[in-house]
Amino acid sequence: MTDVKAPVPLPTLSESAPIKVDIWSDVQCPWCYIGKRKFEKGVELFGEDVEVEYHSFELAPDTPVDFDGSPVDYLSQRKGLPVDQVHEMLARVTEVARSVGLEYNYDAVHQTNTIKAHELMHFAKKHGMQAEMKERLLSAYFVEGKHVGRIDDLADLAQEIGLDRAAAHAALTDARYLSAVKDDVAQAEAYGISGVPFYVIDGKYGVSGAQNPETFQNVLEQAREERQTP
């Protein structure tokens, strides 16, 4: 589904400024990683640079950091879904992920609470490496079976992309960016965002879900054309 409503009035942007795309997503959202690949392809088709900023959205804030079970257990126990149905769902999303070059490994996934991962994203943003951190977290969770809920593990991932491990660890330990995460969540509620991924393009167009690359291309082109129209 593609919405075309302006969430909030924004100041007029220069034609020369890159199109701004605000993305709400969660580290443990399989469609967010798939959507990321499709969006990247859409930007490639668009042919111009865009400015991307990621925002926090928690799909399962009640999940313990060390959930005792698999994603199948979580979805069947917490969501009340039949186990066979869950297996079918995961097989389907794994196949879709493979179609965009991602090899999901649900047998190794650690279901967890992602609040600290979101805090780490804000830490990375502060140091100009938010995009790199997002990719690393998604790959760690869905492909490599790494834990993205514990501070020590997250600090290791931060170090892997070139951030200071001790500084990341300290920021997560004292919850320095927790308020920023909550602000993102509150903004999502204000926009009426109930699921992710959700893309707000140039402050005007909302695109919901892992749409085809051509959809992203078309909305980006429309945003560009509107900037050029007196």
Side-chain angles (χ1 to χ4, degrees), residues 20-24 51-56 116-135 137 158 161-164 168 171-172 177 179-184 187:
K20 174 73 182 298
V21 182
D22 294 279
I23 304 174
W24 273 261
E51 179 187 351
V52 175
E53 181 175 349
Y54 287 100
H55 299 275
S56 306
K116 288 298 178 184
H118 286 299
E119 291 179 34
L120 182 60
M121 283 291 294
H122 281 278
F123 172 82
K125 174 186 171 183
K126 178 72 173 179
H127 296 277
M129 298 188 71
Q130 193 189 42
E132 295 86 348
M133 194 74 258
K134 185 67 170 183
E135 178 67 26
L137 285 166
I161 68 165
L163 292 168
D164 184 275
L172 295 176
Y177 294 95
S179 62
V181 173
K182 292 184 179 298
D183 287 345
D184 278 351
Q187 186 65 73

Side-chain angles (χ1 to χ4, degrees), residues 73-87:
D73 297 327
Y74 176 82
L75 290 170
S76 61
Q77 295 171 13
R78 297 297 184 93
K79 304 299 182 181
L81 299 174
V83 171
D84 288 346
Q85 182 181 342
V86 174
H87 279 294

Side-chain angles (χ1 to χ4, degrees), residues 159-221:
Q159 184 177 39
E160 288 179 17
I161 68 165
L163 292 168
D164 184 275
R165 186 187 188 282
H169 196 285
L172 295 176
T173 300
D174 64 19
R176 197 172 307 161
Y177 294 95
L178 179 59
S179 62
V181 173
K182 292 184 179 298
D183 287 345
D184 278 351
V185 173
Q187 186 65 73
E189 292 177 355
Y191 281 180
I193 297 171
S194 59
V196 289
F198 195 94
Y199 307 77
V200 176
I201 297 175
D202 231 23
K204 295 181 178 180
Y205 299 101
V207 178
S208 176
Q211 300 288 336
N212 290 327
E214 293 77 13
T215 297
F216 291 115
Q217 176 192 9
N218 291 339
V219 179
L220 288 167
E221 289 175 349

Side-chain angles (χ1 to χ4, degrees), residues 54-121:
Y54 287 100
H55 299 275
S56 306
F57 190 98
E58 292 183 89
L59 285 173
D62 61 337
T63 308
V65 171
D66 290 301
F67 175 75
D68 186 17
S70 67
V72 173
D73 297 327
Y74 176 82
L75 290 170
S76 61
Q77 295 171 13
R78 297 297 184 93
K79 304 299 182 181
L81 299 174
V83 171
D84 288 346
Q85 182 181 342
V86 174
H87 279 294
E88 290 174 3
M89 288 169 50
L90 297 185
R92 186 167 59 251
V93 75
T94 298
E95 190 62 29
V96 176
R98 187 172 293 117
S99 74
V100 296
L102 299 172
E103 291 293 334
Y104 284 4
N105 182 11
Y106 271 104
D107 289 338
V109 163
H110 292 281
Q111 192 78 30
T112 188
N113 189 295
T114 59
I115 188 70
K116 288 298 178 184
H118 286 299
E119 291 179 34
L120 182 60
M121 283 291 294

Side-chain angles (χ1 to χ4, degrees), residues 13-15 17-20 202 223-229:
L13 299 173
S14 167
E15 288 184 20
I19 299 293
K20 174 73 182 298
D202 231 23
R224 177 183 60 192
E225 289 171 5
E226 288 199 2
R227 282 193 184 184
Q228 296 170 346
T229 302

